[in-house]
Amino acid sequence: MSDYVIAPPVIPAVPVQGSSQMFPVRRIFCVGRNYAEHAIEMGSDPTREPPFYFTKPADAVLINGADMPYPPMSKDLHHEMELVVAIGTGGSDIAEADALKHVWGYCAGLDMTRRDLQNEAKKTGRPWDMGKGFDFSAPMGALRRAGDGFDPSRGRIELKVNGTVRQTSDLSRMIWSVPEIIANLSRLVRLAPGDLIMTGTPEGVAAVQRGDLLEGFVEGVGEVRCRIV
Ligand code: MN
């Protein structure tokens, strides 16, 4: 044990379905613009440019069902419903054909975004960090273990706000598939156990207000739920 000068930070973690055990989170990588219709609604060209990434701090994780405080310095908090991949075995230069063997499990997650700050950053060529990586910006559902024939290449993905469907699509509409993302990202950084990858959102992103109830669902994976307070 190291002798730290302050108490070491608590390790953020995501619950596991049907278990009292937790999955410890190391880093959160997020894929930008991975569904064509969302790229179009954000004013971008949906052609198959190489995937790009941004990150959130691990302690941005909000446990499923917890209230999400409306973040400071924003008047335009948006939901982005996403499939999240949890890495169980690390590696660099992972081949596409081996990529799914590195996955421990999957969950439904929300890439909550201060869109006004992100848009300002885009306009001025500044980093997206304060638009994307703020406190409680990553509500995560419980993890479903990989295997049992689950295939992340298809399945309905949906988000309801106050019971009304706001986002609905299918995982098959991703521009870059889960194996392609893992292979590509592992060429940029050495992936490690505990890394989460948020795989991008379909169209229908919009603002939420205090009091709104967000209920997301990925077919074959599970749910994510939070209320904005
Ligand atoms: Mn996103």
Side-chain angles (χ1 to χ4, degrees):
M1 279 292 279
S2 301
D3 188 13
Y4 296 112
V5 295
I6 58 168
V10 171
I11 296 173
V14 178
V16 172
Q17 293 175 21
S19 166
S20 59
Q21 289 187 298
M22 306 281 283
F23 180 90
V25 178
R26 184 170 190 265
R27 296 174 290 190
I28 306 174
F29 296 100
C30 307
V31 184
R33 294 195 285 261
N34 200 27
Y35 291 78
E37 290 81 357
H38 174 63
I40 292 167
E41 77 180 349
M42 299 307 287
S44 299
D45 178 354
T47 49
R48 209 172 131 94
E49 57 179 358
F52 73 93
Y53 306 93
F54 57 91
T55 61
K56 294 176 187 266
D59 64 4
V61 165
L62 184 71
I63 297 296
N64 196 32
D67 288 343
M68 178 187 173
Y70 197 99
M73 303 298 284
S74 178
K75 291 186 166 65
D76 198 21
L77 175 66
H78 275 210
H79 55 72
E80 294 193 359
M81 179 64 208
E82 311 203 358
L83 171 71
V84 183
V85 176
I87 297 295
T89 309
S92 52
D93 300 316
I94 296 168
E96 250 176 70
D98 298 328
L100 294 185
K101 296 178 199 151
H102 291 258
V103 177
W104 191 91
Y106 301 90
C107 69
L110 285 160
D111 167 16
M112 298 303 290
T113 301
R114 289 193 284 209
R115 192 72 73 201
D116 41 3
L117 299 196
Q118 185 200 22
N119 285 342
E120 185 61 27
K122 281 183 183 175
K123 226 184 296 171
T124 52
R126 290 180 182 157
W128 289 9
D129 299 44
M130 293 300 115
K132 288 291 196 177
F134 53 95
D135 298 338
F136 314 114
S137 61
M140 295 284 173
L143 275 171
R144 172 216 203 280
R145 201 181 266 275
D148 304 333
F150 173 71
D151 173 5
S153 71
R154 64 181 66 84
R156 196 156 60 90
I157 178 167
E158 186 176 281
L159 177 72
K160 288 182 185 169
V161 178
N162 302 326
T164 302
V165 175
R166 285 262 194 99
Q167 293 189 266
T168 183
S169 188
D170 195 278
L171 301 179
S172 63
R173 301 186 68 82
M174 283 188 195
I175 296 170
W176 296 93
S177 69
V178 171
E180 287 172 333
I181 291 165
I182 291 171
N184 180 271
L185 183 55
S186 76
R187 288 197 284 275
L188 290 160
V189 292
R190 171 175 287 275
L191 289 174
D195 288 340
L196 298 180
I197 306 171
M198 306 194 76
T199 58
T201 193
E203 68 276 20
V205 301
V208 292
Q209 311 298 334
R210 284 189 181 83
D212 285 350
L213 177 65
L214 281 60
E215 296 170 294
F217 162 83
V218 180
E219 184 180 354
V221 172
E223 300 174 341
V224 58
R225 180 189 156 92
C226 73
R227 188 180 291 279
I228 311 299
V229 297

